[in-house]
Amino acid sequence: MQFAVVGNPIHHSLSPILHNSAYKALGIKGFYGRYLLEQNQAFSILKDLHLKGANITVPFKEIAFQSCDEVFGIAREIGAVNTIVFQKDKILGYNTDALGFYQCVESLNPKNALIIGAGGSAKALAYILKEKGLSVTITNRSQERLNHFTQAGFQSSTFENFVLQEYEILINTTPAGLTDSSLPMDSAVLTPLLKASKFAFDLVYGKQTPFLNLAKSLNVAHSDGKQMLINQAILAFEIFMESQNISVDKTILRQSMQTAL
Ligand code: NDP
């Protein structure tokens, strides 16, 4: 039984460590690998790899959505899937990024949130937070990707037109600070936003970004994206095993993934 994570680039992905740890801990005979899909390769090639399912990462989540025969849950609104299952001739699609993120902030019981960035992951977060009853605002450095959010009824603005307000949660969904030392927004704007917030979250994982460093210096509780990564993997693993009619001990699954990284 084989699964894989598909993306480009893909060598850095931690998903194989998470999923293979779970197979071992649960005593399930399975293997989870990485697959580099070239930009010019047809997505349908995945059907020929004899995989039972796959996780989809940047930049193929929207293409994967379009390639699905059936899409379940919040993925239908987001328009992107990160988990697919091959069932006979059909591709079934799910989005576990959204709930995986929400599980990270659920205990804070937030009423509102500001999402910085308007890409694929911002969509997943915006829709789940809205579904859970939060008031969601999205801000981005440029207009184009904001159009989707405006049309979907979210409050949104470019950095240029951004008006300072108080938000309980600030979420950086941009890759700013991943490979450089930049903040996602000007520090003159971020500092008062952070001071008024309860929690700062950065989707980037494996690195303390300048955004999180600023939150720390202002004594604001904060977290990187590692727990979201683990949560989405647990949810995807459950979908994969359910598709194979394999029941899973959820405590062992969570423990194995939680300690794998
Ligand atoms: P996208 O490429 O879809 O979107 C990136 C967004 O960030 C765009 O709105 C872009 O603005 C903005 N942006 C890019 N660079 C900068 C910058 N230097 N300053 C300000 N804004 C910037 O990316 P994704 O949404 O798919 O992913 C974003 C990040 O989240 C990545 O770092 C990814 O690794 C991480 N991630 C983590 C997950 C986890 O499980 N922890 C899951 C999914 C993603 P513009 O529209 O103007 O180009």
Side-chain angles (χ1 to χ4, degrees), residues 45-250:
I45 196 175
L46 297 180
K47 278 189 168 178
D48 303 330
L49 300 179
H50 303 293
L51 298 169
K52 300 287 187 197
N55 285 122
I56 309 298
T57 189
V58 178
F60 300 118
K61 291 182 190 181
E62 276 95 0
I63 295 169
F65 173 85
Q66 286 154 17
S67 306
C68 284
D69 298 290
E70 217 175 324
V71 175
F72 297 91
I74 199 163
R76 285 201 291 257
E77 288 178 83
I78 299 166
V81 298
N82 73 322
T83 302
I84 58 172
V85 168
F86 297 105
Q87 205 171 76
K88 295 181 183 151
D89 272 353
K90 288 191 171 172
I91 304 181
L92 313 181
Y94 308 80
N95 188 304
T96 68
D97 285 333
L99 187 57
F101 167 77
Y102 185 69
Q103 289 173 341
C104 296
V105 296
E106 194 173 10
S107 62
L108 302 167
N109 198 18
K111 303 282 176 292
N112 60 35
L114 175 68
I115 297 175
I116 306 167
S121 49
K123 274 189 198 165
L125 272 49
Y127 281 103
I128 190 84
L129 291 176
K130 188 179 170 194
E131 187 184 282
K132 299 292 181 183
L134 276 81
S135 162
V136 183
T137 303
I138 298 102
T139 187
N140 195 40
R141 62 182 180 183
S142 62
Q143 179 60 44
E144 199 184 330
R145 292 197 218 209
L146 285 174
N147 294 338
H148 168 91
F149 292 93
T150 314
Q151 281 159 19
F154 289 99
Q155 298 162 53
S156 67
S157 80
T158 57
F159 292 173
E160 204 180 357
N161 297 325
F162 184 75
V163 179
L164 262 182
Q165 282 181 43
E166 292 189 4
Y167 298 95
E168 290 182 26
I169 306 188
L170 301 188
I171 311 151
N172 177 32
T173 72
T174 81
L178 180 62
T179 55
D180 56 25
S181 58
S182 67
L183 285 164
M185 293 176 86
D186 200 297
S187 68
V189 179
L190 277 182
T191 300
L193 278 172
L194 282 164
K195 277 184 181 167
S197 74
K198 281 189 193 163
F199 199 81
F201 198 99
D202 201 319
L203 258 56
V204 169
Y205 52 84
K207 188 185 172 188
Q208 181 87 357
T209 58
F211 175 70
L212 291 185
N213 279 333
L214 184 59
K216 190 178 177 190
S217 71
L218 297 168
N219 289 321
V220 178
H222 56 277
S223 168
D224 74 359
K226 184 176 153 188
Q227 193 57 49
M228 174 182 170
L229 181 79
I230 294 169
N231 292 347
Q232 64 76 27
I234 291 171
L235 294 165
F237 193 93
E238 287 174 353
I239 290 170
F240 291 152
M241 292 307 111
E242 206 179 310
S243 75
Q244 302 304 306
N245 295 316
I246 296 172
S247 59
V248 163
D249 182 321
K250 290 192 180 195

